[in-house]
Amino acid sequence: MGGPDIRILLSQSLTSTFQDELKTLCIELGGEMRRYPHGFSFNVQTLRPLGMDWPFEPDAYPPVSVSVEDLEEMNESTYEQYSSDEVEQIVQIAGFSPITVLDLGAHSNGLISHYVLGALSLYLATKYQGLIDLMGILNDRSFTVWKQLSKEAEVQQAIKMYEAYFLGHAGHLWSVTSEGSEGPWFGHYCDAEFMAWWLKQSEFYLVK
């Protein structure tokens, strides 16, 4: 079963130094890596390189993948694209035009996979001052707000319900609207400060 995905949008160019830093970090997190186009996968075995302790059973090492690519060269068959309207909204909230995309994915859906991906996105977004695309609507583990939404709910109504649920959070949680196959909808984006806060909540969960 596949797990959550997170994307980090960066303003810096895709340099060899950046790629070497990312590779070194992944080796420190999990050792042996399996390569594939634009990235690699590995089993996370420690969070110490992220400055964090391992909060779960020591034999639970979730497989994750990390890929990196220039935003303008993203392969449409592999990566979800951003519309021009979404890019405009992203520039407004991020304060920069994204150049590089970091895609993080977990290959299993246990809570440990959600936590590890959240911790990794927090570290990378902090280190490289990136914007975190949560790849959908951020729900708590019990899907509290989602269960209350009617099928006829308007976009702004849904956005306000989620804002009310996360009221009092640290950092920023933004709603970026888009036009989907079934009409207008939205997805959540956040900064590193929000992710640090969310990781500490009992109902922590990522988009799945």
Side-chain angles (χ1 to χ4, degrees):
M1 179 192 302
D5 295 297
I6 280 185
R7 180 175 287 167
I8 304 174
L9 304 177
L10 307 175
S11 62
Q12 71 177 68
S13 300
L14 184 56
T15 64
S16 58
T17 299
F18 170 72
Q19 294 182 76
D20 288 343
E21 288 179 352
L22 187 61
K23 178 181 176 182
T24 298
L25 173 65
C26 293
I27 290 174
E28 292 174 347
L29 289 170
E32 184 178 353
M33 298 188 300
R34 298 169 290 281
R35 292 184 174 276
Y36 62 92
H38 304 296
F40 31 78
S41 61
F42 56 96
N43 288 68
V44 177
Q45 300 179 29
T46 177
L47 296 180
R48 288 184 180 177
L50 308 182
M52 303 175 69
D53 293 325
W54 192 260
F56 300 95
E57 292 298 321
D59 60 344
Y61 299 138
V64 303
S65 60
V66 176
S67 61
V68 56
E69 193 169 4
D70 186 289
L71 182 62
E72 293 184 354
E73 297 178 358
M74 288 170 61
N75 185 331
E76 292 185 13
S77 65
T78 307
Y79 298 93
E80 178 182 332
Q81 300 293 302
Y82 294 100
S83 68
S84 58
D85 181 57
E86 286 176 294
V87 171
E88 287 183 11
Q89 294 176 74
I90 289 169
V91 171
Q92 285 187 338
I93 63 178
F96 61 80
S97 296
I99 296 175
T100 300
V101 178
L102 270 175
D103 267 301
L104 314 177
H107 300 179
S108 58
N109 197 38
L111 181 57
I112 185 173
S113 295
H114 286 252
Y115 190 89
V116 164
L117 217 61
L120 183 55
S121 69
L122 168 60
Y123 178 87
L124 292 170
T126 301
K127 181 177 178 64
Y128 298 110
Q129 300 180 324
L131 175 70
I132 301 173
D133 177 357
L134 292 161
M135 303 297 287
I137 298 174
L138 183 65
N139 289 285
D140 64 289
R141 220 179 309 167
S142 301
F143 284 71
T144 304
V145 179
W146 184 257
K147 292 176 181 177
Q148 297 172 0
L149 282 174
S150 68
K151 293 182 179 179
E152 295 76 25
E154 298 285 340
V155 174
Q156 291 305 319
Q157 177 189 2
I159 288 175
K160 288 180 180 179
M161 290 180 68
Y162 279 99
E163 287 177 346
Y165 179 81
F166 288 106
L167 190 65
H169 64 76
H172 293 88
L173 179 68
W174 295 278
S175 299
V176 171
T177 57
S178 60
E179 191 67 33
S181 58
E182 299 181 3
W185 203 233
F186 70 99
H188 281 130
Y189 292 64
C190 72
D191 58 11
E193 188 178 356
F194 175 89
M195 182 59 74
W197 173 85
W198 184 226
L199 276 165
K200 296 176 183 176
Q201 307 308 306
S202 61
E203 286 301 305
F204 169 78
Y205 204 68
L206 295 176
V207 176
K208 173 62 178 78

